[in-house]
Amino acid sequence: MPLIAGLDIETTGLDYEKGHRIIEVAASLFDLDSELLLGKFTQRINPQRSIDPGAQAVHGISFDDVAGCPLWETVGPKVSALMRKCDLIVAHNGEGFDLPFVAHELMRIGAPVPNVKVFDTMLQGRWATPLGKLPNLRELCFACGVEYDTEKAHAADYDVSVMMRAFFVGKRKGFFNVGELMKETK
């Protein structure tokens, strides 16, 4: 039973090298073959710093929303352990943003950075747009017939939910081929 996780994060800004932090993480675990949801993890995190106005405009999370939440030092090891259980991580813009950000934040606290394969639905989803551009999550969902609610978008758990529905549709239709990637994990 290959175990995969859909993963998404929300952050205080776009650049961890400038001290931005993760403020929300969501992961949903699935059996790749049966598409059965095996578990979910969602946690908001106190970043111990302000949230850039541009980032807050996208995800709608204010510092007041996360002030009383656990620190990454508590949450990060749980995320690392969850990732180590997986054969594959699925993320939209995972290679360009989510996974490098998570890896940096795990290293910052001295937690293990799992060596796990990543399937990026944005990089692998050019088929979902008319001119083959990199699709945003809304465009990917539209192409897969997955309802996308702009009012709920950019909450990590919502984004994981719709991304994974789109991933499984794309996989069933032959647009997302994870076979070769899964052979490399064995």
Side-chain angles (χ1 to χ4, degrees), residues 3-4 10 17 29 45 47 52 57 60 90-91 99 113-114 116 118 127 134 136 145 147 149 165 181:
L3 184 64
I4 65 170
E10 303 302 332
E17 291 180 354
L29 300 172
I45 301 138
D52 281 4
V90 178
L99 276 294
V113 178
V116 61
V118 177
W127 55 267
L134 294 174
N136 61 38
E147 185 177 335
D149 186 337
R165 288 199 317 257
L181 194 56

Side-chain angles (χ1 to χ4, degrees), residues 51-79:
I51 298 171
D52 281 4
Q56 186 173 336
V58 171
H59 52 57
I61 302 170
S62 71
F63 185 79
D64 288 343
D65 295 330
V66 295
C69 294
L71 303 179
W72 180 252
E73 287 78 359
T74 301
V75 177
K78 294 175 185 175
V79 173

Side-chain angles (χ1 to χ4, degrees), residues 3 12 30 40 46 52 71 73 77 86 88 90 95 106 108 121 133 138 141-142 152-153 158-159 163 169 175-176 178:
L3 184 64
T12 62
F30 292 87
K40 289 178 156 189
N46 181 337
D52 281 4
L71 303 179
E73 287 78 359
C86 296
L88 184 70
V90 178
E95 289 185 33
L106 291 174
R108 182 177 65 80
T121 56
K133 77 170 192 67
R138 181 180 188 172
C141 288
F142 178 79
K152 295 178 183 176
Y158 179 79
D159 286 358
M163 175 193 64
V169 168
F175 294 124
F176 287 146
V178 296

